Amino acid sequence: MKARDPELRNELDAALHARSELGSEYEPALVESFLEKVEQQLDSTLDRQVRRHLAEQRVSVARGARPAQPLGNFGERYGFGIISLVLAVPLSAIAAGAAHTGGLIVAWLGIVAVNAVHAARNWPWFSRSPGRTGSDWED
């Protein structure tokens, strides 16, 4: 969607003109109507972009190219790492308070193990076992 969509601009002008004629008591209905039109425009634009992206992926796979990594992969990996580090602080304090150094070591071994398993999901030899099939979201 363009930053300056003439259709949406006309709709906004019409809504503002209708508000000036009808008064402020109709403002919620006018705003709701305008937002529905914006939502429809966003949905159609997003739908076009998703269809184009899927078509590009299918063409590249048909040509023998390796499919691109999912867009959410980067955020998922680093988000998981950040969350595990944030949760590691209170977990370390509890483990050290309850079981001293041994508890701290066990807590951090668990944190490292969880992160290692999460990271290993993306390794080809680990994530694609012979009997495993892809999800409904994968092509």
Side-chain angles (χ1 to χ4, degrees):
M1 185 169 64
K2 299 174 194 168
R4 305 243 184 227
D5 190 352
E7 184 180 330
L8 284 179
R9 181 68 183 168
N10 291 339
E11 291 291 336
L12 179 60
D13 289 340
L16 292 174
H17 183 70
R19 184 198 179 270
S20 66
E21 287 183 5
L22 297 174
S24 62
E25 60 270 2
Y26 290 100
E27 186 173 329
L30 292 170
V31 169
E32 184 73 26
S33 173
F34 178 72
L35 289 178
E36 284 178 14
K37 290 177 177 122
V38 170
E39 184 178 357
Q40 289 171 356
Q41 182 73 22
L42 286 172
D43 286 345
S44 67
T45 301
L46 182 61
D47 190 41
R48 269 194 321 269
Q49 289 175 347
V50 167
R51 275 193 253 134
R52 184 177 63 228
H53 181 72
L54 288 174
E56 289 171 357
Q57 279 186 337
R58 288 184 183 134
V59 167
S60 68
V61 168
R63 290 181 178 162
R66 195 169 158 229
Q69 290 291 329
L71 296 176
N73 198 13
F74 176 81
E76 179 185 350
R77 285 183 296 160
Y78 289 102
F80 188 83
I82 289 170
I83 289 172
S84 68
L85 286 175
V86 167
L87 293 176
V89 172
L91 184 61
S92 298
I94 293 168
H100 305 292
T101 306
L104 187 62
I105 291 171
V106 169
W108 274 95
L109 285 175
I111 293 166
V112 169
V114 166
N115 279 285
V117 168
H118 185 265
R121 292 182 325 143
N122 296 324
W123 296 343
W125 57 269
F126 183 80
S127 63
R128 296 287 176 210
S129 58
R132 182 175 173 198
T133 60
S135 73
D136 293 341
W137 295 100
E138 295 174 353
D139 286 336

